[in-house]
Amino acid sequence: MPPSTNGPEHPVTSSKIERLLQLVHRTADEELSCTECFDLLPQYVDLEIAGEAPDAKLPLFTQHLAQCGVCREEYETLRELARLDAEGRAPSVDDLRRSL
Amino acid sequence: MTPRSNADWIRALSEPGADQAAALADLRTYLLRAALFTLHRHRGSSHHIGRSQTEQIAEESTQEALVSLLQHLKDFRGDSLFTTWAYTFAVHSALMAARRERWKDVSLDTVVGSPLTLPASTDDRRAIDPQRRALQVEALAAISEGIARLTVKQRQVLKALVFDEVPLDELARHWSTNRNALYKLLHDARRGLRAHLRAQGFDVQELLGQFGAGR
């Protein structure tokens, strides 16, 4: 989340150090770029919805998501919408406008 | 909306005529649905964006996604449903727009420009044994050393993305670069830190256990 002012930086807390160490621990020598992740995203989501094992076919995909918050946010949103669509429950444009 | 197979979508969108016009209209509806869904889903973190502004952002994101999708139409490989592939463009555009709106009043010059200084010990005030605290102090010193050995840009990216939690695309926009370039910088920084910690005799997985709250 953005800082509430343009003042002091966020303090470096224990949880931030832990977060850094998690990212370092999960670092691979070769990783997907954000563009490569975007290209694979719809395939991964549809495989997941179909109950197939997407990680077997796209092994580096979840590794990238563990490192990249913006790609992870796109994946979670797409997965939710695509799943609703597959189940015939995706909200209509009118429904969504009413809920704003 | 007319149900279409992947091949139907590609054929209709590629050939001028009545079918193309109908396909474009349906496609636009799918994209708008995805944009509105995305903004609705993220409204908790965008509470300051009013309804009419949200609608405007949705419309602009839809248009941007439509243009981008049509430019990449020949790249569709059929590995997914066409509609899932289409949704990806709208979700991407809408999220970028939402982040831009959320961060527009934040001076990233201030956030990025301030130095990254790790404390000598953590803020964990719970009683932990002296041996663990000593290991934390030693590890923090090694992490600080590792960060100091990074390039200036690697350090700035690490601070902004990991410690200040600036979204990658916002930082890319601020620096007039792209997500891939920043992701690579951060990847290089992580690899550098990993190499340094290992060279100092630390096992990163064991360090995680030492810094976990209450563990």
Side-chain angles (χ1 to χ4, degrees):
Chain A
M1 290 299 293
S4 56
T5 69
N6 291 333
E9 62 191 269
H10 290 170
V12 179
T13 59
S14 180
S15 63
K16 293 274 175 83
I17 300 295
E18 186 182 358
R19 173 73 180 139
L20 174 64
L21 288 172
Q22 282 173 345
L23 295 176
V24 170
H25 176 56
R26 292 173 187 161
T27 293
D29 288 334
E30 298 296 329
E31 296 184 0
L32 294 181
S33 67
C34 291
T35 298
E36 288 167 329
C37 181
F38 179 85
D39 287 343
L40 294 174
L41 178 54
Q43 181 184 4
Y44 189 95
V45 163
D46 276 355
L47 284 171
E48 198 173 359
I49 291 171
E52 299 179 30
D55 288 322
K57 290 188 181 179
L58 306 171
L60 295 179
F61 184 83
T62 44
Q63 194 275 339
H64 181 91
L65 293 189
Q67 298 287 358
C68 185
V70 293
C71 285
R72 187 168 59 251
E73 198 172 26
E74 290 177 15
Y75 157 71
E76 288 169 354
T77 304
L78 179 67
R79 181 185 57 183
E80 188 175 334
L81 176 58
R83 191 181 297 279
L84 287 170
D85 213 12
E87 295 169 357
R89 297 191 296 123
S92 68
V93 167
D94 288 340
D95 288 339
L96 288 164
R97 280 195 168 123
R98 275 191 291 270
S99 69
L100 288 178
Chain B
M1 292 188 284
T2 306
R4 294 181 181 84
S5 67
N6 284 355
D8 290 340
W9 275 109
I10 298 301
R11 188 168 42 245
L13 290 170
S14 302
E15 298 168 5
D19 285 351
Q20 185 186 56
L24 279 171
D26 286 351
L27 177 58
R28 200 180 175 288
T29 300
Y30 274 104
L31 295 176
L32 181 57
R33 169 200 274 174
L36 284 167
F37 179 87
T38 300
L39 295 171
H40 175 78
R41 187 178 189 273
H42 292 268
R43 67 194 181 286
S45 53
S46 307
H47 59 274
H48 60 287
I49 302 177
R51 180 192 175 124
S52 64
Q53 193 175 6
T54 301
E55 290 232 28
Q56 184 182 347
I57 292 174
E59 291 287 344
E60 289 169 357
S61 301
T62 297
Q63 186 58 25
E64 191 176 293
L66 180 62
V67 169
S68 184
L69 184 152
L70 292 175
Q71 285 175 344
H72 290 90
L73 193 61
K74 63 183 181 330
D75 299 331
F76 178 64
R77 296 185 301 266
D79 294 331
S80 67
L81 289 175
F82 180 85
T83 47
T84 307
W85 185 71
Y87 282 155
T88 309
F89 287 87
V91 167
H92 176 78
S93 288
L95 277 173
M96 283 188 59
R99 290 185 203 114
R100 196 158 51 234
E101 187 63 29
R102 200 185 315 153
W103 283 79
K104 69 178 183 181
D105 295 326
V106 177
S107 166
L108 287 185
D109 280 335
T110 303
V111 172
V112 172
S114 53
L116 173 60
T117 307
L118 298 192
S121 60
T122 71
D123 60 338
D124 190 349
R125 291 186 173 84
R126 272 169 280 200
I128 57 174
D129 63 80
Q131 189 175 7
R132 176 181 288 182
R133 183 166 288 278
L135 183 57
Q136 284 189 356
V137 168
E138 199 180 332
L140 279 170
I143 294 169
S144 291
E145 272 174 21
I147 291 174
R149 292 162 73 95
L150 301 175
T151 66
V152 172
K153 275 295 187 195
Q154 287 172 352
R155 251 194 324 275
Q156 288 178 326
V157 164
L158 186 77
K159 177 181 181 293
L161 299 183
V162 178
F163 291 93
D164 296 323
E165 298 177 14
V166 178
L168 190 64
D169 46 358
E170 278 302 293
L171 189 61
R173 200 169 59 84
H174 179 67
W175 279 347
S176 300
T177 184
N178 60 71
R179 274 160 78 156
N180 290 340
L182 291 190
Y183 186 87
K184 177 154 192 332
L185 265 176
L186 184 61
H187 182 210
D188 289 342
R190 287 187 272 112
R191 290 177 62 190
L193 261 178
R194 184 181 64 179
H196 177 75
L197 288 172
R198 285 176 177 172
Q200 298 303 306
F202 289 99
D203 180 303
V204 181
Q205 189 168 10
E206 284 180 12
L207 281 182
L208 266 171
Q210 299 299 329
F211 279 93
R215 290 193 286 276

